[in-house]
Amino acid sequence: MAALVKSQQVRCKVLKMQRKHTVSRWQRIGIAFVLYGFAVLLGLGSAWWVLKKAPWMVQSVQVGAWKTNLLAGSPDADIYTRATIALNALLALGRDETMYFVAVQDDDGRPLRSHCSYRVEGAPPKAKWWSITAYADDMFLFDAPNKQYSLNGTTARLDANGRFAFTTGVQKQAGTHWLPTPGNRGLVLTLRLYNPEPDLQAAPASLNPPTIHVFGGCA
Amino acid sequence: MKDFTDQHRLWFYRVLTLATTVVLVHIAAVWAVPRVIMQILMHGPIAQSMSMQNQAAFPPPVTAQSRTVVMPSPDLLYSVCVFDVTAGPVRITAQPNLKSYWSIALYAANSDNFFVINDQKSGDKPVDIWLVSPSGSPVERPIPTGAQVVVAPSKTGFLLMRVLTGNYESEKAVIEPARRTLVCKPA
């Protein structure tokens, strides 16, 4: 009898130890829930990172400081290009209608900042009409006190060599067309070419790109 | 030895399931981004307030306060319409008669630009587009000669008319009536 009781006691002790070292059903469900939640967050986060922070994922052509996406607005665009365009340039037109060149760096490869002054200079591109617009890094217009947001084929004054120039920055630079970019944040310049000539459509790298240089330093 | 192997196999499937979840969520999110953005654009509060379902709307010129669509062009005057060909074709007509650039672009529900006509392509002819459903739309009356039939890849989508304006205030008297020739309504 005593042996039987002892045997029961040992069995109970073993069961208690097993319970102590095994995970309950609810704990398992909780761990699975956390792991799957983490997996979903990782999937969403990696999508956001690819679309916002990994421009190399989207096929583009670079000319000087300017980049253009050849499949913007096109039904041939892959899902990454389509999503990137939807986030950064929704309702873009195909390149046979309009070409978009975007610059986020100057000609020396330094990121464009709104509190720095830049001189942008170039020859009118081969298109029916063109414009260069200054955007903040949220892809919306700066709150320009003079309501000047862009230079275009109508407002640009060409010099004796047939070239246009303008400056961006917090303060106006004397003698130039000025696009105010108040604040201290990222700056994005967008060159639009409406009805670009066929040879430029076929070879976007043949664009004679406007130059972008720091002019007068940073405020 | 058998327990050891089973345990490894179990962990392999667990990790594989989690990795598959990450990849599927990633692809689904990238796929959904343009569609969700277009849905908000077409049916969100701003679209509702402008009453542009199968009806042209004429927003004011772009300013720094324009924050509906990213990268708005300050040099263009926009006109918009959300088309829905579920119940039948939608007819789009316009006759801007402007020498400067203008275009009417159509976008599918996934944001693809599937059609565009501009001042050069249309010449002096008025625009007359009959937009039909991808599965075919019943046409109750004959399509006029000269009208263009366009098949929309999705039942709903977005129309964006762009009219170039170098200086809105000085050109207002000409370009406002020109863009308001846009009509977008069930045929």
Side-chain angles (χ1 to χ4, degrees):
Chain A
M1 187 64 184
L4 187 64
V5 170
K6 198 174 180 184
S7 157
Q8 286 285 0
Q9 284 175 341
V10 169
R11 195 174 292 166
C12 281
K13 207 173 179 182
V14 168
L15 275 172
K16 274 183 186 173
M17 282 179 72
Q18 276 180 348
R19 273 187 202 151
K20 200 175 177 183
H21 289 95
T22 52
V23 181
S24 75
R25 185 164 174 253
W26 289 110
Q27 280 176 315
R28 283 185 187 181
I29 290 171
I31 290 169
F33 188 77
V34 168
L35 284 175
Y36 275 102
F38 180 73
V40 168
L41 285 178
L42 197 60
L44 292 174
S46 64
W48 178 85
W49 181 80
V50 163
L51 298 179
K52 294 297 281 185
K53 301 286 180 187
W56 43 266
M57 282 288 291
V58 178
Q59 195 182 2
S60 61
V61 171
Q62 181 155 6
V63 197
W66 305 83
K67 282 184 180 176
T68 185
N69 187 309
L70 303 181
L71 293 174
S74 166
D76 298 329
D78 58 86
I79 64 166
Y80 287 99
T81 300
R82 187 176 289 120
T84 302
I85 295 298
L87 276 176
N88 301 307
L90 185 66
L91 305 179
L93 290 161
R95 69 172 150 152
D96 53 338
E97 184 67 22
T98 304
M99 293 178 78
Y100 305 86
F101 289 86
V102 175
V104 293
Q105 296 180 331
D106 64 13
D107 278 21
D108 298 318
R110 288 172 296 207
L112 297 178
R113 299 293 305 175
S114 66
H115 66 290
C116 298
S117 289
Y118 297 97
R119 182 180 172 86
V120 182
E121 191 182 332
K126 294 191 287 185
K128 180 178 179 185
W129 200 78
W130 61 273
S131 70
I132 301 179
T133 309
Y135 294 99
D137 51 8
D138 62 359
M139 310 308 281
F140 290 106
L141 296 169
F142 283 97
D143 195 4
N146 62 357
K147 309 293 180 199
Q148 294 292 310
Y149 309 111
S150 70
L151 184 80
N152 59 52
T154 307
T155 54
R157 290 182 182 172
L158 306 183
D159 65 14
N161 297 319
R163 294 175 69 78
F164 67 83
F166 69 92
T167 57
T168 69
V170 178
Q171 291 185 327
K172 181 176 171 59
Q173 303 291 330
T176 62
H177 186 97
W178 175 49
L179 302 184
T181 56
N184 180 358
R185 60 189 306 179
L187 165 68
V188 180
L189 295 174
T190 299
L191 167 63
R192 288 180 172 88
L193 309 183
Y194 295 93
N195 298 146
E197 291 187 4
D199 57 340
L200 188 57
Q201 287 178 40
S206 66
L207 174 80
N208 185 8
T211 57
I212 308 171
H213 291 292
V214 176
F215 181 73
C218 302
Chain B
M1 189 64 190
K2 188 174 180 297
D3 285 347
F4 180 77
T5 307
D6 285 348
Q7 197 69 10
H8 275 82
R9 194 177 294 145
L10 183 63
W11 275 107
F12 171 75
Y13 285 123
R14 282 173 177 166
V15 172
L16 185 68
T17 308
L18 287 173
T20 306
T21 304
V22 172
V23 172
L24 289 179
V25 169
H26 173 95
I27 292 171
V30 173
W31 179 87
V33 161
R35 288 160 177 85
V36 171
I37 290 175
M38 286 298 287
Q39 283 301 311
I40 294 169
L41 177 70
M42 294 191 296
H43 305 294
I46 294 174
Q48 296 296 332
S49 69
M50 289 176 69
S51 299
M52 55 187 193
Q53 310 293 321
N54 279 345
Q55 185 179 324
F58 304 97
V62 167
T63 65
Q65 282 67 50
S66 306
R67 304 183 78 82
T68 308
V69 176
V70 290
M71 274 180 53
S73 172
D75 308 307
L76 296 171
L77 195 55
Y78 295 109
S79 305
V80 295
C81 170
V82 174
F83 65 79
D84 185 347
V85 292
T86 309
V90 170
R91 189 177 184 186
I92 297 156
T93 56
Q95 194 168 8
N97 283 334
L98 292 168
K99 288 183 178 170
S100 55
Y101 174 86
W102 62 264
S103 67
I104 295 173
L106 300 174
Y107 297 86
N110 70 349
S111 82
D112 282 351
N113 172 212
F114 66 91
F115 176 85
V116 64
I117 188 165
N118 61 29
D119 54 306
Q120 289 183 331
K121 287 178 187 167
S122 78
D124 295 331
K125 292 179 188 169
V127 174
D128 191 356
I129 298 164
W130 287 61
L131 196 58
V132 298
S133 160
S135 55
S137 304
V139 181
E140 290 177 359
R141 57 198 178 103
I143 295 174
T145 310
Q148 189 173 2
V149 177
V150 176
V151 179
S154 55
K155 289 192 174 180
T156 58
F158 197 77
L159 177 153
L160 185 62
M161 182 181 187
R162 296 166 163 93
V163 173
L164 185 65
T165 171
N167 186 332
Y168 175 74
E169 288 305 324
S170 65
E171 297 169 359
K172 188 178 177 179
V174 175
I175 58 173
E176 276 294 349
R179 74 160 172 161
R180 285 172 192 274
T181 61
L182 175 69
V183 176
C184 167
K185 62 179 185 181

